[in-house]
């Protein structure tokens, strides 16, 4: 089992050291992205407090964009804002993970089936974005850059909703993926990596869409992300992963209002 280093928590100031906000982009969005990455990558632990003032000082900005960023992170389920106490990273909850998988599976089946139907009425470049994404995925896997691979994997799935003509549905899925993303990162830490296999599965989804076959697109998608029952079975076969999550959740004493 992977040993979890929780003997010394790194403060948010330490974790944001050296980061500067770009004047060309939204401050709020940049702060959301930075804090989200720290939470998903388990650098900020469940129960750990995030100080508005610390974040503002570290990023040389006012507390206003930090406050707005934390509200967005609360909406995404990654933090809990406790009145008169502070903002805390939420615990990783398996029930929310399972619910998020259910939402994703059902919405994404609809997306790939719709995309396959639409491909008949489009030109030969219909799957160009998927092709470019798969090519870049192969490049980053070759250099073992799994952090970038995760970003490209997310972009691939977002593109499925765009091809289906329902790009806004992606944000519905994204809004409930907090625990999915954290569990996914923990799987990577435990060396549960299937990069080449994932790329082949992406290619199968792409080919089914390009062929205009909704049934094949659904089959390929389920082979890739699995149904809800498959995901639950996978978790049950990895008791070490569940123990890892329990240890992380208990690593930082948190207010009683935050307990799962």
């Amino acid at each position: 089992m992977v040993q979890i280093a929780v003997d010394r928590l790194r403060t948010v100031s330490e974790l944001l050291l050296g980061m500067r906000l770009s004047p060309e982009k939204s401050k709020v969005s940049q702060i959301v992205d930075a804090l989200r990455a720290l939470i998903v990558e388990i650098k900020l632990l469940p129960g750990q407090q995030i100080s508005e003032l610390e974040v503002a000082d570290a990023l040389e900005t006012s507390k206003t964009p930090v406050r707005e960023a934390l509200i967005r992170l609360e909406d995404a389920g990654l933090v809990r804002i406790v009145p008169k106490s502070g903002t805390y990273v939420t615990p990783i909850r398996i029930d929310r993970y399972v619910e998020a998988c259910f939402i994703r599976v059902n919405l994404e089946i609809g997306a790939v089936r719709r995309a396959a139907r639409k491909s008949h009425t489009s030109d030969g470049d219909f799957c160009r974005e998927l092709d470019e994404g798969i090519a870049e995925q192969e490049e980053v896997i070759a250099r073992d850059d799994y952090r970038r691979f995760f970003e490209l994997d997310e972009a691939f799935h977002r593109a499925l909703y765009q091809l289906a003509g329902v790009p806004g549905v992606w944000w519905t899925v994204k809004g409930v993926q907090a625990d999915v993303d954290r569990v996914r990162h923990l799987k990577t830490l435990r060396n549960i990596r299937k990069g080449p296999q994932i790329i082949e599965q992406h290619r199968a989804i792409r080919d089914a869409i390009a062929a205009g076959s909704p049934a094949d697109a659904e089959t390929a998608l389920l082979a890739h992300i699995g149904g809800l029952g498959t995901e639950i079975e996978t978790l049950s076969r990895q008791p070490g992963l569940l123990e890892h999550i329990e240890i992380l959740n208990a690593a930082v004493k948190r207010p009683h209002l935050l307990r799962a």
Side-chain angles (χ1 to χ4, degrees):
M1 175 180 155
V2 173
Q3 295 300 310
I4 309 163
V6 295
D7 53 325
R8 179 184 177 277
L9 298 180
R10 287 188 289 171
T11 67
V12 71
S13 295
E14 291 175 294
L15 293 167
L16 292 173
L17 187 64
M19 179 181 174
R20 293 293 176 266
L21 299 178
S22 168
E24 308 298 322
K25 301 177 182 177
S26 160
K27 285 185 177 181
V28 175
S29 295
Q30 290 178 80
I31 297 168
V32 168
D33 289 345
L35 293 178
R36 189 180 192 285
L38 293 178
I39 295 169
V40 167
E41 294 173 11
I42 324 293
K43 293 176 181 177
L44 285 170
L45 297 182
Q48 189 168 350
Q49 186 169 12
I50 301 176
S51 162
E52 282 184 17
L53 182 58
E54 268 193 76
V55 175
D57 286 347
L59 298 178
E60 299 180 358
T61 188
S62 70
K63 291 186 0 180
T64 300
V66 176
R67 187 174 301 116
E68 176 61 31
L70 292 174
I71 290 171
R72 292 192 191 180
L73 289 169
E74 183 176 45
D75 290 342
L78 287 167
V79 304
R80 172 90 180 273
I81 300 172
V82 181
K84 299 182 180 179
S85 177
T87 298
Y88 302 85
V89 178
T90 55
I92 302 170
R93 285 178 44 181
I94 297 302
D95 60 336
R96 287 194 310 227
Y97 172 78
V98 171
E99 289 169 359
C101 289
F102 177 85
I103 291 170
R104 179 186 178 187
V105 166
N106 285 280
L107 290 179
E108 208 147 304
I109 284 173
V112 296
R113 291 185 69 92
R114 182 177 168 86
R117 287 192 294 268
K118 283 172 64 69
S119 70
H120 280 314
T121 61
S122 302
D123 59 30
D125 283 340
F126 186 71
C127 291
R128 179 174 55 83
E129 186 174 354
L130 299 183
D131 291 335
E132 291 174 351
I134 290 170
E136 191 172 354
Q137 289 165 28
E138 290 176 324
E139 292 175 8
V140 299
I141 282 295
R143 59 176 185 264
D144 235 18
D145 185 352
Y146 274 83
R147 183 172 185 177
R148 177 58 181 156
F149 182 73
F150 277 173
E151 293 173 354
L152 292 170
D153 178 62
E154 186 170 86
F156 178 89
H157 287 275
R158 181 179 179 181
L160 297 176
Y161 293 91
Q162 293 171 332
L163 289 178
V166 288
V169 177
W170 163 256
W171 297 109
T172 299
V173 175
K174 188 66 177 170
V176 297
Q177 294 295 296
D179 289 290
V180 171
D181 290 342
R182 286 193 283 183
V183 171
R184 187 181 185 197
H185 179 74
L186 290 174
K187 287 180 179 180
T188 303
L189 291 181
R190 293 173 57 81
N191 206 30
I192 305 171
R193 298 178 174 178
K194 300 178 180 178
Q197 179 182 339
I198 289 170
I199 291 172
E200 288 307 308
Q201 292 168 347
H202 282 175
R203 189 172 284 110
I205 295 169
R206 177 264 178 221
D207 289 347
I209 290 173
S213 174
D216 288 344
E218 177 177 343
T219 298
L221 178 73
L222 287 174
H224 174 45
I225 65 176
L228 186 61
T230 302
E231 190 55 49
I232 294 172
E233 183 183 349
T234 299
L235 285 175
S236 69
R237 290 201 306 265
Q238 297 173 15
L241 177 61
L242 295 177
E243 183 183 356
H244 193 157
I245 291 170
E246 289 176 6
I247 293 172
L248 283 170
N249 283 339
V252 181
K253 186 177 180 180
R254 57 185 185 268
H256 69 282
L257 290 174
L258 191 61
R259 289 175 190 156

